[in-house]
Amino acid sequence: MKRVINIGIIFCVVSAIFACAPEDSNHITMHYCCDFEGAYWNALVDSDPNGSNLTNGSIATSWHDEKSGIAGEVTIPYEGYWGGLALSDHCSKDLQNHGSPTDQLYAHVDSAYSGKNFLICNCFWGGVELRLGEEPAFIESIMVAHTTYSYAATTQGNHIEPEPIDKNSSIWIEASGYIDGSDEVQATAKFYLYKNGEPAFEGWEKWYMTSMCKVNRVVFDIKQSGKFYPSYFAMDDIKLVRHKAIR
């Protein structure tokens, strides 16, 4: 976890970084990077790449970063199946040995973007929610990767959908920002995982969330045009910006 504090006058001009209005000289701008490293996060990583220790309750399913205020959880909808945001350190590009439904916590990369830990996001149950704390904040950017399971299913087919994605189909993440106490969407952002039948990137890719205004929570969901494929992606190094009043 790194935090840099910049104090200065912010003039009333349109920001090229954020879509919402800038703050004035009565505020400080605080930057955070939640990279999921350290003893607290290590204890939340399931040694079983299928997440079995999450579903049986031997690993805590909720987590919270004290410095940035970012929080999330793993949900167990029924019969031991999980969704939500799970900590992982499992990485593999071996689609044959680590691309099955029992390898849900593998990211299709050589390593985490920074350190060794990251999030696996399972959106099958209607999206995953990232909470940003009581005071609204900006998400500046997030590092994104494919999971090994979803990559194998999408590019090779699997037991549910035997054919790989075709050139007329795309898969993307759709982020919707909310203010606590309201169901009205404040802002949205889109990031392609697969475009026109091909992976949109390999390894870790930065998602600049410049269209996302200050919100308390963001719901990430997988949208697909065409056939259904596993709704997973990996996330690391969430960069958050807060404007706090000077008292």
Side-chain angles (χ1 to χ4, degrees):
M1 171 64 62
K2 302 179 181 68
R3 184 180 71 174
V4 178
I5 300 177
N6 296 319
I7 302 177
I9 297 175
I10 304 176
F11 292 96
C12 186
V13 295
V14 177
S15 172
I17 299 176
F18 303 115
C20 294
E23 302 295 331
D24 57 29
S25 58
N26 293 319
H27 292 76
I28 59 174
T29 301
M30 306 181 72
H31 297 264
Y32 303 88
C33 179
C34 186
D35 57 9
F36 307 102
E37 300 304 321
Y40 170 78
W41 302 104
N42 293 343
L44 297 173
V45 173
D46 197 333
S47 59
D48 185 338
N50 192 33
S52 296
N53 295 319
L54 291 168
T55 59
N56 68 25
S58 60
I59 293 180
T61 58
S62 61
W63 48 265
H64 177 257
D65 181 60
E66 292 186 2
K67 291 185 178 180
S68 68
I70 293 174
E73 63 184 340
V74 176
T75 56
I76 315 296
Y78 62 89
E79 296 181 357
Y81 292 96
W82 72 274
L85 300 150
L87 269 293
S88 178
D89 62 3
H90 303 284
C91 299
S92 177
K93 291 184 177 179
D94 185 344
L95 302 182
Q96 182 175 356
N97 293 313
H98 298 300
S100 74
T102 58
D103 295 315
Q104 299 177 76
L105 295 180
Y106 276 101
H108 188 250
V109 291
D110 294 321
S111 65
Y113 178 73
S114 62
K116 67 174 186 176
N117 301 328
F118 50 87
L119 290 177
I120 293 291
C121 307
N122 181 354
C123 302
F124 183 73
W125 308 106
V128 300
E129 182 174 289
L130 192 68
R131 297 185 295 276
L132 308 184
E134 294 182 2
E135 293 295 326
F138 297 103
I139 296 180
E140 179 182 338
S141 64
I142 294 172
M143 300 306 301
V144 176
H146 300 285
T147 70
T148 313
Y149 169 42
S150 64
Y151 194 96
T154 305
T155 60
Q156 299 180 353
N158 67 1
H159 63 291
I160 298 175
E161 177 49 66
E163 297 297 326
I165 188 172
D166 61 54
K167 63 180 181 180
N168 296 316
S169 300
S170 297
I171 302 173
W172 63 94
I173 309 168
E174 188 169 284
S176 301
Y178 298 87
I179 296 294
D180 282 349
S182 173
D183 293 328
E184 181 180 353
V185 176
Q186 302 297 312
T188 61
K190 179 186 290 188
F191 184 84
Y192 278 94
L193 297 171
Y194 303 87
K195 201 166 188 177
N196 301 323
E198 298 290 338
F201 58 90
E202 298 290 345
W204 290 99
E205 187 78 1
K206 181 172 284 190
W207 181 3
Y208 292 98
M209 303 189 71
T210 55
S211 63
M212 191 65 65
C213 291
K214 288 198 298 184
V215 292
N216 294 101
R217 56 192 179 92
V218 180
V219 175
F220 298 88
D221 203 2
I222 298 290
K223 304 293 183 180
Q224 309 189 29
S225 63
K227 300 174 181 178
F228 174 79
Y229 296 97
S231 299
Y232 294 74
F233 67 96
M235 181 189 299
D236 202 0
D237 280 30
I238 302 171
K239 291 188 176 180
L240 196 71
V241 180
R242 294 188 183 278
H243 296 308
K244 292 192 175 183
I246 300 173
R247 293 187 175 88

